[in-house]
């Protein structure tokens, strides 16, 4: 319960920051704080409005080279999954089958690794190998 309150508080604070300043880029707040903002948005699963705003503002920041396309891809997938839609990059894991992580359904599963490469994410098999049970 404390975790839920803390993430909600962080989400609310990020929303205030985005309202006033836009996406908190590294140029604006420093690398560490920019990464923290992304992590807060990424985990604001119960605050879809905050995730959607972060996604929109982060897309603008990425388009001018002020934010990470890789982090944007993770946030994009997380938001889609939270909306009950198919993800693009296969970053969100649905569960484990036969000892291997399985992604939530993807819009174009056959293009998943190609799309991942475009934003600097390793192929799905390499990514999940980090988490596999030995």
């Amino acid at each position: 319960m404390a975790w839920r309150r803390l993430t909600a508080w962080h989400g609310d604070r990020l929303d205030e920051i985005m309202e006033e300043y836009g996406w908190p880029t590294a140029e604006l707040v420093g690398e560490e704080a920019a990464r923290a903002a992304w992590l807060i948005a990424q985990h604001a699963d119960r605050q879809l409005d905050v995730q959607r705003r972060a996604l929109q503002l982060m897309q603008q920041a990425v388009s001018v080279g002020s934010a990470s396309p890789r982090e944007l891809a993770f946030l994009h997938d997380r938001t889609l999954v939270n909306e009950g839609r198919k993800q693009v990059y296969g970053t969100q894991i649905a569960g484990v089958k036969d000892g291997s992580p399985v992604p939530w359904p993807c819009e174009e599963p056959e293009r998943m690794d190609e799309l991942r490469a475009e934003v600097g994410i390793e192929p799905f098999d390499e990514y999940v190998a980090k988490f596999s049970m030995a």
Side-chain angles (χ1 to χ4, degrees):
M1 196 56 161
W3 169 254
R4 205 175 279 171
R5 275 198 308 274
L6 185 62
T7 55
W9 184 85
H10 283 146
D12 291 344
R13 183 66 187 118
L14 178 60
D15 203 35
E16 291 169 3
I17 290 167
M18 291 188 298
E19 178 72 31
E20 190 166 346
Y21 302 102
W23 182 251
T25 62
E27 295 90 346
L28 189 64
V29 299
E31 289 288 338
E32 193 176 330
R35 176 140 176 94
W38 169 72
L39 282 169
I40 290 167
Q42 183 75 1
H43 294 103
D45 296 324
R46 298 182 187 287
Q47 294 167 290
L48 203 44
D49 56 326
V50 173
Q51 267 186 344
R52 287 181 181 130
R53 173 182 269 178
L55 182 64
Q56 180 184 14
L57 292 172
M58 199 174 181
Q59 283 169 331
Q60 294 168 1
V62 166
S63 72
V64 297
S66 296
S68 162
R70 185 180 199 278
E71 289 179 352
L72 175 63
F74 276 83
L75 182 59
H76 188 202
D77 276 358
R78 186 81 167 232
T79 305
L80 287 170
V81 167
N82 284 333
E83 291 173 342
R85 296 162 58 196
K86 291 182 177 179
Q87 62 179 331
V88 175
Y89 303 97
T91 63
Q92 303 302 298
I93 304 300
V96 176
K97 183 178 181 187
D98 300 328
S100 297
V102 177
W104 279 96
C106 290
E107 290 176 6
E108 300 177 271
E110 69 287 350
R111 291 190 61 222
M112 183 174 65
D113 282 340
E114 175 190 338
L115 296 168
R116 291 169 74 92
E118 288 175 7
V119 295
I121 302 174
E122 64 272 41
F124 184 78
D125 290 343
E126 285 179 33
Y127 176 69
V128 297
K130 298 176 190 176
F131 309 103
S132 293
M133 309 300 168

